[in-house]
C-alpha cells in the first residue's frame, strides 16, 4: 500500500512539474517583443531606437549594436524595466 501511495505522489509531482514548465515557457514567449525603427543615439551602454510611435532604450550583450547606428533595424528581445535587451537584430 505504501508503494502505491508513494508512486502516486511521485507521479503527481512529475506531471505537475511538466505543466509548470510549459506554462513558464509560454509566459516567457509572451514577454518577447519585436520593435522596428532606427538606432539614433548611444548613451553609455544604451542606445535609443526611434520607432514610429516611441523612443525605446535598448542594449545587448549578444549583439554589437554599434554597427547598426543610423540604420533601420528590427530588434527582438525582452524588457527589463524600461530597457529592451536585444537578443536578435535584422
Amino acid at each position: 500500500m505504501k508503494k502505491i501511495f508513494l508512486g502516486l505522489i511521485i507521479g503527481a509531482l512529475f506531471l505537475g512539474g511538466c505543466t509548470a514548465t510549459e506554462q513558464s515557457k509560454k509566459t516567457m514567449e509572451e514577454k518577447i517583443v519585436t520593435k522596428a525603427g532606427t538606432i539614433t543615439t548611444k548613451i553609455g551602454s544604451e542606445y535609443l531606437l526611434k520607432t514610429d510611435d516611441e523612443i525605446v532604450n535598448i542594449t545587448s550583450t549578444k549583439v554589437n549594436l554599434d554597427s547598426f547606428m543610423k540604420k533601420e533595424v528590427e530588434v527582438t528581445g525582452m524588457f527589463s524595466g524600461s530597457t529592451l535587451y536585444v537578443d536578435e537584430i535584422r
Side-chain angles (χ1 to χ4, degrees), residues 52-80:
D52 290 338
D53 304 327
E54 61 188 332
I55 295 177
V56 180
N57 293 336
I58 64 171
T59 192
S60 181
T61 58
K62 297 180 179 181
V63 179
N64 179 6
L65 297 174
D66 281 334
S67 59
F68 295 96
M69 285 292 294
K70 308 292 182 193
K71 295 182 181 175
E72 287 195 31
V73 295
E74 184 176 272
V75 297
T76 303
M78 292 176 58
F79 275 99
S80 177

PDB file of all heavy atoms in Angstrom, residues 52-80:
ATOM      1  N   ASP A  52       8.099  54.445 -35.059  1.00  0.00           N
ATOM      2  CA  ASP A  52       7.042  55.368 -35.500  1.00  0.00           C
ATOM      3  C   ASP A  52       6.278  55.945 -34.313  1.00  0.00           C
ATOM      4  O   ASP A  52       5.794  57.073 -34.371  1.00  0.00           O
ATOM      5  CB  ASP A  52       6.065  54.666 -36.442  1.00  0.00           C
ATOM      6  CG  ASP A  52       6.695  54.347 -37.787  1.00  0.00           C
ATOM      7  OD1 ASP A  52       7.693  55.001 -38.159  1.00  0.00           O
ATOM      8  OD2 ASP A  52       6.180  53.431 -38.469  1.00  0.00           O
ATOM      9  N   ASP A  53       6.165  55.169 -33.226  1.00  0.00           N
ATOM     10  CA  ASP A  53       5.319  55.564 -32.101  1.00  0.00           C
ATOM     11  C   ASP A  53       6.064  56.035 -30.860  1.00  0.00           C
ATOM     12  O   ASP A  53       5.484  56.724 -30.021  1.00  0.00           O
ATOM     13  CB  ASP A  53       4.431  54.380 -31.670  1.00  0.00           C
ATOM     14  CG  ASP A  53       3.592  53.849 -32.803  1.00  0.00           C
ATOM     15  OD1 ASP A  53       3.177  54.642 -33.663  1.00  0.00           O
ATOM     16  OD2 ASP A  53       3.348  52.625 -32.834  1.00  0.00           O
ATOM     17  N   GLU A  54       7.318  55.630 -30.708  1.00  0.00           N
ATOM     18  CA  GLU A  54       8.015  55.874 -29.444  1.00  0.00           C
ATOM     19  C   GLU A  54       9.531  55.834 -29.618  1.00  0.00           C
ATOM     20  O   GLU A  54      10.037  55.483 -30.671  1.00  0.00           O
ATOM     21  CB  GLU A  54       7.592  54.817 -28.412  1.00  0.00           C
ATOM     22  CG  GLU A  54       7.949  53.401 -28.847  1.00  0.00           C
ATOM     23  CD  GLU A  54       7.371  52.323 -27.951  1.00  0.00           C
ATOM     24  OE1 GLU A  54       7.145  52.584 -26.756  1.00  0.00           O
ATOM     25  OE2 GLU A  54       7.166  51.213 -28.457  1.00  0.00           O
ATOM     26  N   ILE A  55      10.212  56.172 -28.543  1.00  0.00           N
ATOM     27  CA  ILE A  55      11.658  56.014 -28.466  1.00  0.00           C
ATOM     28  C   ILE A  55      11.922  54.996 -27.366  1.00  0.00           C
ATOM     29  O   ILE A  55      11.423  55.132 -26.248  1.00  0.00           O
ATOM     30  CB  ILE A  55      12.359  57.348 -28.168  1.00  0.00           C
ATOM     31  CG1 ILE A  55      12.140  58.308 -29.335  1.00  0.00           C
ATOM     32  CG2 ILE A  55      13.844  57.122 -27.920  1.00  0.00           C
ATOM     33  CD1 ILE A  55      12.718  59.684 -29.132  1.00  0.00           C
ATOM     34  N   VAL A  56      12.688  53.957 -27.700  1.00  0.00           N
ATOM     35  CA  VAL A  56      12.908  52.837 -26.789  1.00  0.00           C
ATOM     36  C   VAL A  56      14.389  52.756 -26.436  1.00  0.00           C
ATOM     37  O   VAL A  56      15.246  52.817 -27.320  1.00  0.00           O
ATOM     38  CB  VAL A  56      12.461  51.508 -27.460  1.00  0.00           C
ATOM     39  CG1 VAL A  56      12.669  50.338 -26.532  1.00  0.00           C
ATOM     40  CG2 VAL A  56      11.023  51.589 -27.926  1.00  0.00           C
ATOM     41  N   ASN A  57      14.685  52.610 -25.150  1.00  0.00           N
ATOM     42  CA  ASN A  57      16.056  52.343 -24.717  1.00  0.00           C
ATOM     43  C   ASN A  57      16.356  50.881 -25.014  1.00  0.00           C
ATOM     44  O   ASN A  57      15.576  49.998 -24.644  1.00  0.00           O
ATOM     45  CB  ASN A  57      16.210  52.562 -23.211  1.00  0.00           C
ATOM     46  CG  ASN A  57      16.048  53.999 -22.809  1.00  0.00           C
ATOM     47  OD1 ASN A  57      16.255  54.904 -23.607  1.00  0.00           O
ATOM     48  ND2 ASN A  57      15.667  54.219 -21.574  1.00  0.00           N
ATOM     49  N   ILE A  58      17.478  50.617 -25.687  1.00  0.00           N
ATOM     50  CA  ILE A  58      17.865  49.242 -25.982  1.00  0.00           C
ATOM     51  C   ILE A  58      19.328  49.039 -25.606  1.00  0.00           C
ATOM     52  O   ILE A  58      20.118  49.989 -25.577  1.00  0.00           O
ATOM     53  CB  ILE A  58      17.638  48.864 -27.463  1.00  0.00           C
ATOM     54  CG1 ILE A  58      18.518  49.696 -28.395  1.00  0.00           C
ATOM     55  CG2 ILE A  58      16.181  48.970 -27.844  1.00  0.00           C
ATOM     56  CD1 ILE A  58      18.495  49.222 -29.848  1.00  0.00           C
ATOM     57  N   THR A  59      19.680  47.811 -25.328  1.00  0.00           N
ATOM     58  CA  THR A  59      21.062  47.408 -25.105  1.00  0.00           C
ATOM     59  C   THR A  59      21.164  45.928 -25.421  1.00  0.00           C
ATOM     60  O   THR A  59      20.140  45.258 -25.609  1.00  0.00           O
ATOM     61  CB  THR A  59      21.522  47.706 -23.657  1.00  0.00           C
ATOM     62  OG1 THR A  59      22.937  47.550 -23.579  1.00  0.00           O
ATOM     63  CG2 THR A  59      20.848  46.806 -22.645  1.00  0.00           C
ATOM     64  N   SER A  60      22.388  45.414 -25.499  1.00  0.00           N
ATOM     65  CA  SER A  60      22.559  43.999 -25.798  1.00  0.00           C
ATOM     66  C   SER A  60      23.920  43.515 -25.330  1.00  0.00           C
ATOM     67  O   SER A  60      24.913  44.242 -25.431  1.00  0.00           O
ATOM     68  CB  SER A  60      22.427  43.745 -27.298  1.00  0.00           C
ATOM     69  OG  SER A  60      22.568  42.361 -27.569  1.00  0.00           O
ATOM     70  N   THR A  61      23.946  42.291 -24.835  1.00  0.00           N
ATOM     71  CA  THR A  61      25.206  41.617 -24.546  1.00  0.00           C
ATOM     72  C   THR A  61      25.499  40.576 -25.625  1.00  0.00           C
ATOM     73  O   THR A  61      26.570  40.000 -25.632  1.00  0.00           O
ATOM     74  CB  THR A  61      25.160  40.923 -23.169  1.00  0.00           C
ATOM     75  OG1 THR A  61      24.082  39.988 -23.158  1.00  0.00           O
ATOM     76  CG2 THR A  61      24.973  41.935 -22.052  1.00  0.00           C
ATOM     77  N   LYS A  62      24.548  40.374 -26.537  1.00  0.00           N
ATOM     78  CA  LYS A  62      24.686  39.361 -27.579  1.00  0.00           C
ATOM     79  C   LYS A  62      24.988  39.944 -28.955  1.00  0.00           C
ATOM     80  O   LYS A  62      25.547  39.271 -29.799  1.00  0.00           O
ATOM     81  CB  LYS A  62      23.405  38.526 -27.668  1.00  0.00           C
ATOM     82  CG  LYS A  62      23.111  37.741 -26.407  1.00  0.00           C
ATOM     83  CD  LYS A  62      21.849  36.940 -26.564  1.00  0.00           C
ATOM     84  CE  LYS A  62      21.578  36.145 -25.296  1.00  0.00           C
ATOM     85  NZ  LYS A  62      20.382  35.333 -25.416  1.00  0.00           N
ATOM     86  N   VAL A  63      24.578  41.193 -29.175  1.00  0.00           N
ATOM     87  CA  VAL A  63      24.699  41.806 -30.498  1.00  0.00           C
ATOM     88  C   VAL A  63      25.489  43.110 -30.369  1.00  0.00           C
ATOM     89  O   VAL A  63      25.250  43.884 -29.442  1.00  0.00           O
ATOM     90  CB  VAL A  63      23.295  42.117 -31.081  1.00  0.00           C
ATOM     91  CG1 VAL A  63      23.409  42.772 -32.442  1.00  0.00           C
ATOM     92  CG2 VAL A  63      22.438  40.864 -31.145  1.00  0.00           C
ATOM     93  N   ASN A  64      26.414  43.347 -31.298  1.00  0.00           N
ATOM     94  CA  ASN A  64      27.159  44.609 -31.323  1.00  0.00           C
ATOM     95  C   ASN A  64      26.285  45.655 -32.016  1.00  0.00           C
ATOM     96  O   ASN A  64      26.196  45.702 -33.236  1.00  0.00           O
ATOM     97  CB  ASN A  64      28.484  44.431 -32.049  1.00  0.00           C
ATOM     98  CG  ASN A  64      29.282  45.716 -32.110  1.00  0.00           C
ATOM     99  OD1 ASN A  64      28.908  46.724 -31.520  1.00  0.00           O
ATOM    100  ND2 ASN A  64      30.382  45.677 -32.825  1.00  0.00           N
ATOM    101  N   LEU A  65      25.656  46.489 -31.216  1.00  0.00           N
ATOM    102  CA  LEU A  65      24.716  47.471 -31.765  1.00  0.00           C
ATOM    103  C   LEU A  65      25.426  48.642 -32.448  1.00  0.00           C
ATOM    104  O   LEU A  65      24.809  49.359 -33.238  1.00  0.00           O
ATOM    105  CB  LEU A  65      23.795  47.979 -30.659  1.00  0.00           C
ATOM    106  CG  LEU A  65      22.890  46.915 -30.032  1.00  0.00           C
ATOM    107  CD1 LEU A  65      22.123  47.492 -28.847  1.00  0.00           C
ATOM    108  CD2 LEU A  65      21.928  46.339 -31.048  1.00  0.00           C
ATOM    109  N   ASP A  66      26.720  48.843 -32.173  1.00  0.00           N
ATOM    110  CA  ASP A  66      27.466  49.942 -32.807  1.00  0.00           C
ATOM    111  C   ASP A  66      27.400  49.864 -34.331  1.00  0.00           C
ATOM    112  O   ASP A  66      27.313  50.883 -35.007  1.00  0.00           O
ATOM    113  CB  ASP A  66      28.939  49.922 -32.380  1.00  0.00           C
ATOM    114  CG  ASP A  66      29.156  50.516 -31.006  1.00  0.00           C
ATOM    115  OD1 ASP A  66      28.345  51.359 -30.572  1.00  0.00           O
ATOM    116  OD2 ASP A  66      30.142  50.125 -30.357  1.00  0.00           O
ATOM    117  N   SER A  67      27.453  48.662 -34.867  1.00  0.00           N
ATOM    118  CA  SER A  67      27.469  48.514 -36.329  1.00  0.00           C
ATOM    119  C   SER A  67      26.114  48.805 -36.972  1.00  0.00           C
ATOM    120  O   SER A  67      26.014  48.846 -38.195  1.00  0.00           O
ATOM    121  CB  SER A  67      27.942  47.108 -36.702  1.00  0.00           C
ATOM    122  OG  SER A  67      27.100  46.140 -36.139  1.00  0.00           O
ATOM    123  N   PHE A  68      25.087  49.041 -36.173  1.00  0.00           N
ATOM    124  CA  PHE A  68      23.755  49.320 -36.700  1.00  0.00           C
ATOM    125  C   PHE A  68      23.321  50.764 -36.471  1.00  0.00           C
ATOM    126  O   PHE A  68      22.158  51.107 -36.726  1.00  0.00           O
ATOM    127  CB  PHE A  68      22.734  48.364 -36.083  1.00  0.00           C
ATOM    128  CG  PHE A  68      22.964  46.922 -36.459  1.00  0.00           C
ATOM    129  CD1 PHE A  68      23.664  46.080 -35.613  1.00  0.00           C
ATOM    130  CD2 PHE A  68      22.501  46.415 -37.658  1.00  0.00           C
ATOM    131  CE1 PHE A  68      23.883  44.756 -35.952  1.00  0.00           C
ATOM    132  CE2 PHE A  68      22.707  45.107 -38.005  1.00  0.00           C
ATOM    133  CZ  PHE A  68      23.407  44.260 -37.153  1.00  0.00           C
ATOM    134  N   MET A  69      24.239  51.605 -36.001  1.00  0.00           N
ATOM    135  CA  MET A  69      23.909  53.013 -35.759  1.00  0.00           C
ATOM    136  C   MET A  69      23.416  53.678 -37.035  1.00  0.00           C
ATOM    137  O   MET A  69      23.959  53.460 -38.115  1.00  0.00           O
ATOM    138  CB  MET A  69      25.141  53.765 -35.246  1.00  0.00           C
ATOM    139  CG  MET A  69      25.482  53.463 -33.802  1.00  0.00           C
ATOM    140  SD  MET A  69      24.280  54.088 -32.632  1.00  0.00           S
ATOM    141  CE  MET A  69      24.469  55.831 -32.828  1.00  0.00           C
ATOM    142  N   LYS A  70      22.364  54.479 -36.908  1.00  0.00           N
ATOM    143  CA  LYS A  70      21.757  55.248 -38.001  1.00  0.00           C
ATOM    144  C   LYS A  70      21.141  54.367 -39.079  1.00  0.00           C
ATOM    145  O   LYS A  70      20.902  54.818 -40.196  1.00  0.00           O
ATOM    146  CB  LYS A  70      22.773  56.214 -38.634  1.00  0.00           C
ATOM    147  CG  LYS A  70      23.498  57.103 -37.651  1.00  0.00           C
ATOM    148  CD  LYS A  70      22.588  58.103 -37.020  1.00  0.00           C
ATOM    149  CE  LYS A  70      23.393  58.994 -36.070  1.00  0.00           C
ATOM    150  NZ  LYS A  70      22.590  59.788 -35.212  1.00  0.00           N
ATOM    151  N   LYS A  71      20.878  53.103 -38.761  1.00  0.00           N
ATOM    152  CA  LYS A  71      20.276  52.194 -39.727  1.00  0.00           C
ATOM    153  C   LYS A  71      18.903  51.753 -39.236  1.00  0.00           C
ATOM    154  O   LYS A  71      18.654  51.685 -38.041  1.00  0.00           O
ATOM    155  CB  LYS A  71      21.157  50.957 -39.932  1.00  0.00           C
ATOM    156  CG  LYS A  71      22.487  51.280 -40.557  1.00  0.00           C
ATOM    157  CD  LYS A  71      23.291  50.032 -40.770  1.00  0.00           C
ATOM    158  CE  LYS A  71      24.650  50.386 -41.373  1.00  0.00           C
ATOM    159  NZ  LYS A  71      25.502  49.203 -41.489  1.00  0.00           N
ATOM    160  N   GLU A  72      18.025  51.454 -40.200  1.00  0.00           N
ATOM    161  CA  GLU A  72      16.720  50.902 -39.847  1.00  0.00           C
ATOM    162  C   GLU A  72      16.895  49.423 -39.536  1.00  0.00           C
ATOM    163  O   GLU A  72      17.528  48.697 -40.299  1.00  0.00           O
ATOM    164  CB  GLU A  72      15.725  51.100 -40.985  1.00  0.00           C
ATOM    165  CG  GLU A  72      15.285  52.541 -41.122  1.00  0.00           C
ATOM    166  CD  GLU A  72      14.049  52.691 -41.984  1.00  0.00           C
ATOM    167  OE1 GLU A  72      13.214  51.755 -41.988  1.00  0.00           O
ATOM    168  OE2 GLU A  72      13.927  53.730 -42.631  1.00  0.00           O
ATOM    169  N   VAL A  73      16.339  49.008 -38.395  1.00  0.00           N
ATOM    170  CA  VAL A  73      16.502  47.636 -37.936  1.00  0.00           C
ATOM    171  C   VAL A  73      15.188  47.128 -37.342  1.00  0.00           C
ATOM    172  O   VAL A  73      14.263  47.896 -37.081  1.00  0.00           O
ATOM    173  CB  VAL A  73      17.605  47.535 -36.855  1.00  0.00           C
ATOM    174  CG1 VAL A  73      18.967  47.881 -37.433  1.00  0.00           C
ATOM    175  CG2 VAL A  73      17.280  48.408 -35.658  1.00  0.00           C
ATOM    176  N   GLU A  74      15.160  45.839 -37.121  1.00  0.00           N
ATOM    177  CA  GLU A  74      14.087  45.203 -36.370  1.00  0.00           C
ATOM    178  C   GLU A  74      14.767  44.407 -35.266  1.00  0.00           C
ATOM    179  O   GLU A  74      15.582  43.525 -35.544  1.00  0.00           O
ATOM    180  CB  GLU A  74      13.271  44.284 -37.280  1.00  0.00           C
ATOM    181  CG  GLU A  74      12.080  43.670 -36.592  1.00  0.00           C
ATOM    182  CD  GLU A  74      11.235  42.846 -37.547  1.00  0.00           C
ATOM    183  OE1 GLU A  74      10.337  43.424 -38.188  1.00  0.00           O
ATOM    184  OE2 GLU A  74      11.490  41.630 -37.641  1.00  0.00           O
ATOM    185  N   VAL A  75      14.475  44.740 -34.020  1.00  0.00           N
ATOM    186  CA  VAL A  75      15.113  44.087 -32.884  1.00  0.00           C
ATOM    187  C   VAL A  75      14.098  43.233 -32.144  1.00  0.00           C
ATOM    188  O   VAL A  75      12.917  43.559 -32.087  1.00  0.00           O
ATOM    189  CB  VAL A  75      15.754  45.111 -31.921  1.00  0.00           C
ATOM    190  CG1 VAL A  75      16.857  45.879 -32.612  1.00  0.00           C
ATOM    191  CG2 VAL A  75      14.730  46.065 -31.341  1.00  0.00           C
ATOM    192  N   THR A  76      14.577  42.133 -31.588  1.00  0.00           N
ATOM    193  CA  THR A  76      13.748  41.233 -30.797  1.00  0.00           C
ATOM    194  C   THR A  76      14.448  40.977 -29.479  1.00  0.00           C
ATOM    195  O   THR A  76      15.644  40.722 -29.452  1.00  0.00           O
ATOM    196  CB  THR A  76      13.526  39.900 -31.538  1.00  0.00           C
ATOM    197  OG1 THR A  76      12.932  40.177 -32.802  1.00  0.00           O
ATOM    198  CG2 THR A  76      12.621  38.976 -30.753  1.00  0.00           C
ATOM    199  N   GLY A  77      13.686  41.070 -28.394  1.00  0.00           N
ATOM    200  CA  GLY A  77      14.253  40.822 -27.078  1.00  0.00           C
ATOM    201  C   GLY A  77      13.199  40.935 -26.004  1.00  0.00           C
ATOM    202  O   GLY A  77      12.003  40.861 -26.267  1.00  0.00           O
ATOM    203  N   MET A  78      13.673  41.135 -24.772  1.00  0.00           N
ATOM    204  CA  MET A  78      12.773  41.232 -23.633  1.00  0.00           C
ATOM    205  C   MET A  78      13.095  42.486 -22.830  1.00  0.00           C
ATOM    206  O   MET A  78      14.250  42.883 -22.722  1.00  0.00           O
ATOM    207  CB  MET A  78      12.917  40.001 -22.734  1.00  0.00           C
ATOM    208  CG  MET A  78      12.425  38.734 -23.381  1.00  0.00           C
ATOM    209  SD  MET A  78      12.681  37.250 -22.397  1.00  0.00           S
ATOM    210  CE  MET A  78      11.805  37.627 -20.917  1.00  0.00           C
ATOM    211  N   PHE A  79      12.058  43.088 -22.269  1.00  0.00           N
ATOM    212  CA  PHE A  79      12.230  44.268 -21.443  1.00  0.00           C
ATOM    213  C   PHE A  79      12.640  43.876 -20.030  1.00  0.00           C
ATOM    214  O   PHE A  79      12.169  42.883 -19.478  1.00  0.00           O
ATOM    215  CB  PHE A  79      10.931  45.083 -21.357  1.00  0.00           C
ATOM    216  CG  PHE A  79      10.744  46.038 -22.485  1.00  0.00           C
ATOM    217  CD1 PHE A  79       9.928  45.713 -23.545  1.00  0.00           C
ATOM    218  CD2 PHE A  79      11.383  47.260 -22.486  1.00  0.00           C
ATOM    219  CE1 PHE A  79       9.747  46.598 -24.599  1.00  0.00           C
ATOM    220  CE2 PHE A  79      11.220  48.151 -23.532  1.00  0.00           C
ATOM    221  CZ  PHE A  79      10.391  47.818 -24.596  1.00  0.00           C
ATOM    222  N   SER A  80      13.532  44.686 -19.474  1.00  0.00           N
ATOM    223  CA  SER A  80      13.830  44.663 -18.051  1.00  0.00           C
ATOM    224  C   SER A  80      13.711  46.110 -17.624  1.00  0.00           C
ATOM    225  O   SER A  80      14.538  46.947 -18.012  1.00  0.00           O
ATOM    226  CB  SER A  80      15.227  44.114 -17.775  1.00  0.00           C
ATOM    227  OG  SER A  80      15.501  44.167 -16.382  1.00  0.00           O
TER     228      SER A  80
END
